[in-house]
Amino acid sequence: MKDVHSYWAYIVLAILIFAVVNAVIGFTQKKAFKDKDLRIGLFTLILSHIQLLIGLVWYFMSPWFDLLITDASTVMKTKEIRLLAVEHPIMMILAIVFITIGWSKHKKKTTDTAKFKTFVIFYGIGLLLILSRIPWNNWF
Protein backbone atom coordinates (compact mmCIF):
# COMPACT_ATOMS: atom_id res chain seq x y z
CA MET A 1 0.00 0.00 0.00
CA LYS A 2 2.91 2.31 0.76
CA ASP A 3 4.29 1.84 -2.77
CA VAL A 4 0.92 2.59 -4.35
CA HIS A 5 0.65 5.75 -2.23
CA SER A 6 4.17 6.83 -3.20
CA TYR A 7 3.84 6.19 -6.92
CA TRP A 8 0.36 7.70 -7.14
CA ALA A 9 1.81 10.81 -5.45
CA TYR A 10 4.05 11.41 -8.48
CA ILE A 11 0.99 11.38 -10.73
CA VAL A 12 -0.97 13.70 -8.46
CA LEU A 13 1.93 16.11 -8.12
CA ALA A 14 2.46 16.21 -11.88
CA ILE A 15 -1.21 16.87 -12.70
CA LEU A 16 -1.51 19.43 -9.90
CA ILE A 17 1.52 21.34 -11.17
CA PHE A 18 0.09 21.13 -14.68
CA ALA A 19 -3.30 22.42 -13.47
CA VAL A 20 -1.75 25.35 -11.61
CA VAL A 21 0.50 26.30 -14.54
CA ASN A 22 -2.45 26.00 -16.93
CA ALA A 23 -4.54 28.25 -14.66
CA VAL A 24 -1.73 30.82 -14.33
CA ILE A 25 -1.35 30.94 -18.12
CA GLY A 26 -5.10 31.21 -18.60
CA PHE A 27 -5.38 33.95 -15.99
CA THR A 28 -2.41 36.04 -17.11
CA GLN A 29 -3.17 35.75 -20.81
CA LYS A 30 -6.92 36.30 -20.31
CA LYS A 31 -7.78 33.10 -22.17
CA ALA A 32 -11.25 31.63 -22.50
CA PHE A 33 -12.04 28.94 -19.93
CA LYS A 34 -12.71 25.92 -22.14
CA ASP A 35 -13.75 22.31 -21.60
CA LYS A 36 -10.05 21.36 -21.58
CA ASP A 37 -9.46 23.63 -18.56
CA LEU A 38 -12.52 22.23 -16.81
CA ARG A 39 -11.32 18.68 -17.38
CA ILE A 40 -7.81 19.46 -16.13
CA GLY A 41 -9.29 20.85 -12.92
CA LEU A 42 -11.69 17.93 -12.51
CA PHE A 43 -9.00 15.34 -13.26
CA THR A 44 -6.77 16.97 -10.64
CA LEU A 45 -9.61 16.90 -8.12
CA ILE A 46 -10.36 13.23 -8.75
CA LEU A 47 -6.73 12.08 -8.66
CA SER A 48 -6.05 14.03 -5.47
CA HIS A 49 -9.09 12.49 -3.78
CA ILE A 50 -7.99 9.00 -4.80
CA GLN A 51 -4.56 9.79 -3.35
CA LEU A 52 -6.20 10.92 -0.13
CA LEU A 53 -8.12 7.65 0.17
CA ILE A 54 -5.01 5.58 -0.54
CA GLY A 55 -3.08 7.70 1.97
CA LEU A 56 -5.68 7.28 4.69
CA VAL A 57 -5.73 3.50 4.25
CA TRP A 58 -1.93 3.41 4.36
CA TYR A 59 -1.81 5.75 7.36
CA PHE A 60 -3.99 3.54 9.53
CA MET A 61 -1.93 0.48 8.52
CA SER A 62 1.42 2.23 9.04
CA PRO A 63 3.84 1.87 11.93
CA TRP A 64 3.65 5.66 12.40
CA PHE A 65 0.00 5.49 13.41
CA ASP A 66 0.69 2.63 15.83
CA LEU A 67 3.54 4.59 17.38
CA LEU A 68 1.37 7.71 17.65
CA ILE A 69 -1.27 5.71 19.50
CA THR A 70 1.17 3.96 21.84
CA ASP A 71 3.80 6.65 22.43
CA ALA A 72 2.67 10.10 21.30
CA SER A 73 5.37 11.91 23.28
CA THR A 74 8.15 10.16 21.36
CA VAL A 75 6.42 10.96 18.07
CA MET A 76 6.15 14.63 18.94
CA LYS A 77 9.77 14.85 20.11
CA THR A 78 11.25 13.22 17.01
CA LYS A 79 11.21 15.46 13.93
CA GLU A 80 11.28 12.68 11.30
CA ILE A 81 8.59 10.59 12.96
CA ARG A 82 6.41 13.65 13.65
CA LEU A 83 6.55 14.53 9.96
CA LEU A 84 5.23 11.12 8.92
CA ALA A 85 2.77 10.60 11.77
CA VAL A 86 1.29 14.08 12.19
CA GLU A 87 2.46 16.85 9.85
CA HIS A 88 2.26 15.03 6.51
CA PRO A 89 -1.26 13.65 6.99
CA ILE A 90 -2.69 16.93 8.31
CA MET A 91 -1.13 19.05 5.56
CA MET A 92 -2.22 16.65 2.82
CA ILE A 93 -5.80 16.69 4.09
CA LEU A 94 -5.70 20.50 4.17
CA ALA A 95 -4.28 20.57 0.65
CA ILE A 96 -7.13 18.38 -0.63
CA VAL A 97 -9.62 20.63 1.19
CA PHE A 98 -8.22 23.68 -0.63
CA ILE A 99 -8.34 21.87 -3.97
CA THR A 100 -11.94 20.85 -3.31
CA ILE A 101 -12.92 24.38 -2.30
CA GLY A 102 -11.26 25.70 -5.45
CA TRP A 103 -13.26 23.28 -7.59
CA SER A 104 -16.52 24.27 -5.87
CA LYS A 105 -15.85 28.01 -6.04
CA HIS A 106 -14.82 28.02 -9.69
CA LYS A 107 -18.25 26.67 -10.68
CA LYS A 108 -19.92 29.77 -9.24
CA LYS A 109 -17.73 32.20 -11.16
CA THR A 110 -19.22 33.77 -14.27
CA THR A 111 -16.11 35.07 -16.02
CA ASP A 112 -13.25 33.07 -17.47
CA THR A 113 -10.65 35.16 -15.65
CA ALA A 114 -12.38 34.56 -12.31
CA LYS A 115 -12.47 30.80 -12.93
CA PHE A 116 -8.75 30.70 -13.71
CA LYS A 117 -7.99 32.95 -10.73
CA THR A 118 -9.89 30.63 -8.40
CA PHE A 119 -7.86 27.66 -9.64
CA VAL A 120 -4.62 29.61 -9.30
CA ILE A 121 -5.37 30.53 -5.71
CA PHE A 122 -6.87 27.34 -4.31
CA TYR A 123 -5.02 24.73 -6.36
CA GLY A 124 -1.87 26.79 -5.84
CA ILE A 125 -2.31 26.76 -2.06
CA GLY A 126 -2.93 23.02 -2.23
CA LEU A 127 0.26 22.57 -4.23
CA LEU A 128 2.30 24.63 -1.76
CA LEU A 129 0.93 22.67 1.20
CA ILE A 130 1.76 19.38 -0.49
CA LEU A 131 5.27 20.49 -1.40
CA SER A 132 5.87 21.74 2.14
CA ARG A 133 5.27 18.37 3.79
CA ILE A 134 6.32 15.71 1.32
CA PRO A 135 8.76 13.43 3.15
CA TRP A 136 11.47 14.06 0.56
CA ASN A 137 14.00 11.77 2.27
CA ASN A 138 11.64 8.81 1.93
CA TRP A 139 10.65 9.68 -1.62
CA PHE A 140 13.93 9.36 -3.45
Side-chain angles (χ1 to χ4, degrees):
M1 186 58 85
K2 179 183 175 187
D3 289 339
V4 172
H5 180 65
S6 295
Y7 291 123
W8 196 262
Y10 287 110
I11 296 167
V12 171
L13 194 55
I15 190 68
L16 182 56
I17 291 169
F18 182 71
V20 171
V21 168
N22 181 64
V24 167
I25 291 169
F27 177 69
T28 58
Q29 295 181 359
K30 308 271 191 245
K31 290 187 172 187
F33 193 86
K34 297 185 178 181
D35 285 342
K36 167 193 73 95
D37 304 306
L38 179 78
R39 286 188 179 93
I40 291 169
L42 179 60
F43 196 56
T44 303
L45 177 78
I46 292 168
L47 290 179
S48 63
H49 278 88
I50 291 170
Q51 175 68 350
L52 176 64
L53 293 174
I54 294 168
L56 287 173
V57 169
W58 164 240
Y59 180 70
F60 290 111
M61 294 172 29
S62 74
W64 316 118
F65 178 71
D66 291 337
L67 188 58
L68 182 63
I69 296 301
T70 58
D71 191 6
S73 64
T74 299
V75 169
M76 298 310 284
K77 289 177 191 172
T78 311
K79 181 181 175 184
E80 296 80 17
I81 298 173
R82 185 179 63 239
L83 172 65
L84 295 169
V86 179
E87 295 171 5
H88 176 74
I90 289 171
M91 293 302 270
M92 298 307 123
I93 291 168
L94 283 173
I96 303 304
V97 166
F98 275 101
I99 291 168
T100 305
I101 291 170
W103 175 257
S104 295
K105 284 189 166 291
H106 107 275
K107 294 188 291 185
K108 298 174 185 163
K109 303 299 180 186
T110 56
T111 66
D112 295 336
T113 303
K115 289 179 185 243
F116 281 122
K117 182 179 179 182
T118 302
F119 276 163
V120 168
I121 293 169
F122 287 94
Y123 280 44
I125 291 170
L127 177 60
L128 290 175
L129 291 174
I130 288 170
L131 291 174
S132 75
R133 287 297 172 254
I134 288 176
W136 295 104
N137 293 337
N138 295 356
W139 234 30
F140 295 112

